[in-house]
Each structure stands twice: as C-alpha cells, then as structure tokens.
Amino acid sequence: MDFADATLVYLAKRESLSVILTGDHADFATYRIEGKPQFRVLPLEKP
C-alpha cells in the first residue's frame, strides 16, 4: 500500500464511504475497511 492508497482508505473509513475514485483497480480490489465489503471503485473498468 502506498501513501496515496492509504490516504484514500483512511478518508473512506473516517467519512464512512464505500466508493473510491481511482485508476488503481487492482489494489482496491484487495483493500477493506474492518467489517465492510470491498470498495466500489470508479471509474468502472472497461470490459
């Protein structure tokens, strides 16, 4: 986890958010906030 990812996860936890806007889909598929499902990452990946 790099500093930018850690910052987004911290802010999401602090603000009770489950949606993240990032281009880093691979990492955010593994990150979780305690007791919560995985993040919904935007923009959606193209098929």
Side-chain angles (χ1 to χ4, degrees), residues 9-25:
V9 171
Y10 171 79
L11 289 172
K13 181 177 180 180
R14 187 183 80 179
E15 301 298 322
S16 299
L17 301 173
S18 62
V19 179
I20 297 288
L21 177 63
T22 183
D24 193 359
H25 287 262

Side-chain angles (χ1 to χ4, degrees), residues 22-31 41 45:
T22 183
D24 193 359
H25 287 262
D27 286 345
F28 278 89
T30 61
Y31 299 152
V41 181
E45 288 186 305

